[in-house]
Amino acid sequence: MTSLKDDTSAAPAAPFPTGFRWGAATAAYQIEGAAGEDGRGPSIWDTFCRTPGKVLRGETGDVAVDHYHRFPEDVALMADLGLTAYRFSISWPRVQPAGAGAFNTEGLDFYRRLVDALLEAGIEPWPTLYHWDLPQPLEDKGGWPERETAHRFAEYADHVHAALGDRVAHWMTVNEPWCAAFLGYASGDHAPGRVDPPGSLLAAHHLMLGHGLAVEAMRARRPDNRFGAAVNLYAVSPATGDPADADAARRIDGLQNRLFLDPLLLGRYPEDVLADTSRYGFTPPDADLAVINQPLDQLGINYYSRHTVAGTPGEAAQTASSPFATNSPWPGSGHVRFVPAGRPVTGMGWEIDESGLHEVLTRLHREYPSVPLYITENGAGYDEVPDGDGTVQDAGRIAYLDAHLRACHDAISEGVPLHGYFTWSLLDNFEWAWGYSKRFGLVHVDYATQRRVPKASARWYAGVIRRGGLPE
Ligand code: NCW
């Protein structure tokens, strides 16, 4: 294969700061496979995938892209891209199969080997401790709506940190607590597939409590490490100037963004969201907010799109996170319609709007205490078919990444403390309820042979990294 670094270099038209992290992201259940190996226990996703009608074509992450066995090849691909950082997640059921009690040394050894290979290749490891694969025994005891799960998470995080904290500086606790709480426990689109609106609000609270307890424990061991969480933020707009639409936008912004940002960064829940959800008896204890509101060394932002919403009756857009979606993932939102704003969409049906990323970044800078920011996910999923030679000419993905990186560049020029960008995703992988039907990778994977072939976007991204910025 020609090296991805062969592109001729030119001075970038939009240079990024020296030391800016150029990364790609993945998650354990989506890539590792080896679901029954080396003592790994079952997770809620193993169970969910086996529940008929939950995952397209009944697919599972049993094999995924076999990263568990192929990680040396994947680290070599990262090196070829010129990545300076790699964001991956650690599988809790691999490290602690029952989610409590005994730890599994063999499971942890996989991450030791991965971290060593990354460091050897000069790539900074950025682990996330929870990307949705709760050990099934903990779900059997009530899952995230149970307070005890937060304590179990902190214990697991502490154990992983004790093993890797000397070689890993940057730690993310939970990934997209909105998805874990509301797709998992309100709409049922994601594992564990429960439709329990009051439970989903408790899940959101306990995911953040688990984050706070974990940061407390890890920071006590290594105050020099960097700790944070990765939240999925959206720009939110009212469909029209109608006050009912403005109120719908307030409610959705509340549930999507402020419900997480305010406790994490300000140490309080947004009053309006508490009022909107009061019928569910959601009364989080005040004392927990001090635990949740740990000083953060980094905030991860996963950005994909903008929500345009209306509070008036009419036609709604399909914004499903699953091909089977029927229930609402928005507890207490009242009557809200997600409406198409007429922008082009990716293969997920998500509208492409880079101005929303600029809006999210500048809003964080304006309305919240200053925290170093990282884009921990941003990318585009399509149903792609390779050419005869196995390559994929993914011009749509290149345009998406280019536009969003320009939005990052503009935000940095305006003083936003953005220090890195991780594209989602390094490899095509198991896209949750969509199975293997949607591809987000810079690198195409043939699922029958596990052959990896970098797409045109991989070459493009390698050029951006090498130049330290965007082309003309
Ligand atoms: S599904 C999802 N994703 C994708 C996934 O592969 C990754 O693991 C996640 O971190 C890409 O990035 C995240 N997010 C769920 C978005 C749901 C949108 C629902 C909109 C409802 C109106």
Side-chain angles (χ1 to χ4, degrees):
M1 182 178 82
T2 346
S3 167
L4 293 170
K5 292 182 184 148
D6 287 350
D7 277 0
T8 48
S9 192
F16 280 69
T18 312
F20 190 81
R21 259 68 169 204
W22 293 103
T26 62
Y29 190 72
Q30 295 181 273
I31 64 165
E32 285 180 2
E37 283 182 52
D38 297 338
R40 176 187 177 278
S43 82
I44 54 175
W45 272 95
D46 296 291
T47 309
F48 191 70
C49 290
R50 281 165 179 74
T51 310
K54 292 298 188 185
V55 175
L56 199 65
R57 300 190 294 241
E59 290 171 334
T60 75
D62 284 2
V63 176
V65 295
D66 197 31
H67 173 76
Y68 190 76
H69 299 113
R70 290 168 198 264
F71 77 89
E73 178 187 348
D74 293 338
V75 172
L77 274 168
M78 295 175 214
D80 213 23
L81 276 164
L83 298 190
T84 62
Y86 171 54
R87 175 173 182 246
F88 59 98
S89 84
I90 293 180
S91 158
W92 186 351
R94 221 180 257 300
V95 172
Q96 192 183 30
F103 289 98
N104 174 33
T105 313
E106 274 184 287
L108 197 49
D109 281 348
F110 168 68
Y111 299 104
R112 283 188 231 270
R113 292 195 297 275
L114 175 62
V115 164
D116 286 348
L118 289 166
L119 294 173
E120 180 74 18
I123 300 167
E124 200 174 47
W126 279 62
T128 297
L129 288 155
Y130 186 73
H131 199 127
W132 309 351
D133 45 358
L134 187 72
Q136 181 63 43
L138 287 186
E139 174 58 25
D140 296 341
K141 295 194 178 107
W144 283 109
E146 280 298 319
R147 190 178 180 84
E148 180 63 13
T149 304
H151 289 280
R152 297 282 61 78
F153 173 70
E155 183 195 56
Y156 144 75
D158 189 42
H159 182 82
V160 175
H161 184 252
L164 300 177
D166 59 337
R167 282 162 301 151
V168 173
H170 292 267
W171 294 84
M172 290 293 181
T173 54
V174 293
N175 178 68
E176 301 191 353
W178 183 91
C179 292
F182 297 140
L183 298 179
Y185 292 92
S187 72
D189 290 338
H190 279 189
R194 278 162 60 183
V195 181
D196 171 11
S200 72
L201 289 160
L202 289 171
H205 180 70
H206 294 143
L207 280 150
M208 287 191 280
L209 183 63
H211 153 84
L213 292 166
V215 170
E216 252 177 1
M218 295 189 289
R219 186 172 274 145
R221 175 178 301 102
R222 300 257 344 195
D224 56 322
N225 282 179
R226 298 276 170 265
F227 303 103
V231 288
N232 55 320
L233 304 180
Y234 281 71
V236 183
S237 305
T240 73
D242 190 312
D245 293 354
D247 200 52
R250 174 192 63 73
R251 295 194 301 270
I252 293 305
D253 175 51
L255 287 165
Q256 179 80 66
N257 301 319
R258 292 180 289 113
L259 178 64
F260 300 95
L261 292 174
D262 288 16
L264 289 169
L265 296 172
L266 303 173
R268 58 171 188 256
Y269 273 102
E271 288 295 335
D272 62 321
V273 179
L274 291 181
D276 290 344
T277 55
S278 62
R279 89 189 72 146
Y280 298 120
F282 180 54
T283 49
D286 277 347
D288 288 355
L289 283 156
V291 178
I292 292 171
N293 182 213
Q294 297 297 317
L296 292 189
D297 304 302
Q298 53 195 27
L299 180 72
I301 301 159
N302 297 357
Y303 176 85
Y304 289 93
S305 189
R306 177 189 296 272
H307 294 316
T308 306
V309 295
T312 48
E315 288 247 323
Q318 167 69 300
T319 57
S321 49
S322 139
F324 313 107
T326 49
N327 301 297
S328 166
W330 305 102
S333 69
H335 173 74
V336 174
R337 284 183 300 126
F338 289 75
V339 299
R343 298 184 188 88
V345 294
T346 67
M348 301 297 290
W350 300 350
E351 284 196 2
I352 301 170
D353 186 7
E354 63 277 8
S355 76
L357 176 53
H358 180 263
E359 204 171 298
V360 162
L361 286 168
T362 51
R363 176 199 195 173
L364 271 166
H365 188 46
R366 218 176 34 247
E367 297 180 14
Y368 290 90
S370 186
V371 172
L373 303 176
Y374 293 85
I375 303 299
T376 34
E377 287 183 27
N378 175 242
Y382 294 97
D383 324 26
E384 290 164 328
V385 182
D387 298 340
D389 62 356
T391 59
V392 177
Q393 300 303 328
D394 52 343
R397 179 171 294 105
I398 293 174
Y400 183 100
L401 298 178
D402 184 275
H404 286 77
L405 278 167
R406 279 175 210 279
C408 292
H409 187 266
D410 289 350
I412 294 170
S413 311
E414 292 159 37
V416 173
L418 178 66
H419 297 290
Y421 175 93
F422 294 77
T423 189
W424 183 270
S425 179
L426 176 70
L427 301 161
D428 289 341
N429 60 51
F430 175 74
E431 184 46 45
W432 307 112
W434 293 95
Y436 294 94
S437 67
K438 306 288 179 194
R439 296 172 176 271
F440 275 89
L442 294 180
V443 175
H444 180 266
V445 180
D446 177 336
Y447 297 125
T449 62
Q450 297 293 356
R451 182 168 170 242
R452 277 94 160 118
V453 179
K455 302 178 190 176
S457 58
R459 189 168 299 278
W460 176 86
Y461 193 48
V464 170
I465 297 174
R466 203 183 43 265
R467 281 188 298 266
L470 295 162
E472 282 293 348

